[in-house]
Amino acid sequence: MKQIPVALSIAGSDPVGGAGIQADLKTFSALGAYGATVITAVVAENTVGVQGVLQIPAAFVVEQWRSVVSDIRVDAIKIGMLANAEIIEAVGRCLDEQRCSCVVLDPVMVATSGDRLLDADAIDAMRRLIPKASLITPNLAEAAVLLDTSPARTVEDMEVQARALVASGAQRALLKGGHLEGHADSVDVLACEDHLERISAPFVHTKNTHGTGCTLSSAIAALRPQATSWPAAVAEAKRWLSGALAAADCLQVGHGHGPVHHFYAAGGRWGRPASER
């Protein structure tokens, strides 16, 4: 019997289920992985905004981690919202305790709206965590913060910044260009020490993009143990996310930016538009 990979998400929650831990678990299930979790923050949010955040004490984050890894095999780790410097440092110690060859870090610091999601005093802690990850997946604003520069405005700028992230300590960097202006396609740039690649997909016109960053990074984590290489896992995750975005309007969840359709490929009732059910 083929062994199902186990993927662990270390992230915050989203009560409407479109981002964070909930989106990660949906993504893992959709892509053939078993999901486990370590929760770093409990967030009161919906499709129109964030109303509050309750940060989990760092010591309890570590306790959750040890409960999981002492009992089950972990083949891949996805790291999302870490909330503060103390939690970031605690997660770094956890990764030192239990090595994993597939660690995908989404350095959640700046929302696509431009809002800061991580305190300024925690950015240096995030920079120290980055070398412990197999792959980081910053958006344009987050890459600019990490490099202390302006956000990329062209794909060529993205290539320069992706290389700079690797030069500064990242093992691999996937710079997400979904909000780059003036392009018919959504272009991401994958960089590692000896490889640079543009990964493109047609741009999907929908307002329902809630949780796309969480979903892409968890898709890569779920797929890497099943793929032949990092570029193959990233490309497959990008293709799958494009489909989830294309089907997002079927869900009609919330009054703001709704979630992507994580189970669009499952078929049956949930694979059809609402008008056809």
Side-chain angles (χ1 to χ4, degrees), residues 9-201:
S9 171
I10 305 174
S13 72
D14 172 15
V16 300
I21 288 284
Q22 288 86 338
D24 295 345
L25 288 174
K26 291 177 182 179
T27 301
F28 296 158
S29 295
L31 294 174
Y34 177 86
T37 66
V38 169
I39 298 176
T40 60
V42 179
V43 184
E45 70 173 318
N46 52 33
T47 64
V48 299
V50 176
Q51 293 78 48
V53 178
L54 178 63
Q55 298 174 356
I56 303 299
F60 195 71
V61 172
V62 174
E63 188 169 349
Q64 292 177 76
W65 161 271
R66 289 176 176 162
S67 292
V68 172
V69 300
S70 68
D71 183 47
I72 67 174
R73 182 191 79 255
V74 175
D75 300 304
I77 298 170
K78 176 268 171 84
I79 303 173
M81 179 183 181
L82 296 181
N84 60 47
E86 190 176 5
I87 293 175
I88 294 171
E89 291 166 355
V91 169
R93 292 192 298 272
C94 290
L95 294 178
D96 290 338
E97 283 182 10
Q98 182 90 11
R99 298 284 182 173
C100 180
S101 61
C102 176
V103 179
V104 179
L105 168 61
D106 187 14
V108 179
M109 298 185 295
V110 186
T112 52
S113 63
D115 296 330
R116 287 290 184 101
L117 301 175
L118 190 66
D119 294 338
D121 64 356
I123 292 172
D124 283 342
M126 181 65 74
R127 290 188 179 112
R128 291 191 295 272
L129 180 64
I130 281 172
K132 301 177 189 290
S134 311
L135 173 73
I136 63 170
T137 63
N139 61 30
L140 299 180
E142 289 159 348
V145 170
L146 290 170
L147 295 170
D148 195 20
T149 189
S150 300
R153 299 177 65 88
T154 67
V155 177
E156 290 74 21
D157 289 344
M158 290 175 61
E159 291 177 339
V160 170
Q161 292 194 6
R163 285 192 180 102
L165 288 166
V166 172
S168 67
Q171 295 182 42
R172 299 168 189 84
L174 179 69
L175 183 49
K176 300 177 293 190
H179 291 80
L180 198 67
E181 296 180 357
H183 287 268
D185 289 344
S186 169
V187 182
D188 299 340
V189 173
L190 175 64
C192 51
E193 186 175 352
D194 57 355
H195 181 84
L196 186 74
E197 180 178 347
R198 296 183 184 184
I199 300 176
S200 301

